[in-house]
Amino acid sequence: MFLPEKFTINTQTITITYVDKIETNRFGDFNSITNEIRIAKGVKDEDGEYHELKDEQILNTLFHEIFHAWQFYSGHEMNEDEPCTYASYMIEFLRSTGLLLKETNE
């Protein structure tokens, strides 16, 4: 699966970094100070066991964090409702139109 390393919004370059895990066991995060999105390749569960994320989970997280960047740069309230909803809608759009093919690591 092709994943971008950067994009621009409001003339600002947002870098995207793919890391093995994020210390807080989150799937991803957006830092408005450094203009960086981090996407985890895996997370630990409550028992401390590491689980590699599926491509669809990584893509959903990427969209989620991009929507956070859009919230920030458009002056909208930073909340979780919109990014969660819109990221899922994007995955459904890509699947239903054939732009996203069956995952390779299900």
Side-chain angles (χ1 to χ4, degrees):
M1 171 172 61
F2 168 79
L3 294 172
E5 295 179 0
K6 64 182 176 177
F7 68 97
T8 60
I9 183 170
N10 290 352
T11 73
Q12 301 295 304
T13 299
I14 311 295
T15 59
I16 304 168
T17 306
Y18 302 93
V19 297
D20 290 331
K21 64 181 173 125
I22 296 175
E23 307 79 44
T24 57
N25 290 329
R26 293 190 300 193
F27 285 40
D29 57 26
F30 166 63
N31 185 319
S32 60
I33 297 169
T34 62
N35 278 339
E36 179 185 21
I37 289 174
R38 294 187 305 163
I39 305 295
K41 297 176 186 173
V43 296
K44 288 186 178 180
D45 63 20
E46 308 82 39
D47 298 324
E49 185 177 346
Y50 180 83
H51 298 273
E52 190 171 306
L53 298 176
K54 295 179 180 177
D55 288 346
E56 186 174 280
Q57 291 172 300
I58 291 171
L59 186 58
N60 188 292
T61 303
L62 176 60
F63 283 137
H64 179 104
E65 299 307 331
I66 288 170
F67 292 135
H68 275 307
W70 290 355
Q71 282 178 325
F72 177 78
Y73 279 104
S74 64
H76 288 183
E77 176 186 340
M78 298 288 283
N79 65 53
E80 290 298 316
D81 295 340
E82 288 177 337
C84 285
T85 301
Y86 296 151
S88 295
Y89 287 172
M90 285 301 299
I91 297 295
E92 185 175 351
F93 168 78
L94 292 174
R95 282 191 176 275
S96 68
T97 60
L99 292 172
L100 180 64
L101 302 177
K102 183 171 174 56
E103 300 305 320
T104 57
N105 66 351
E106 289 185 24

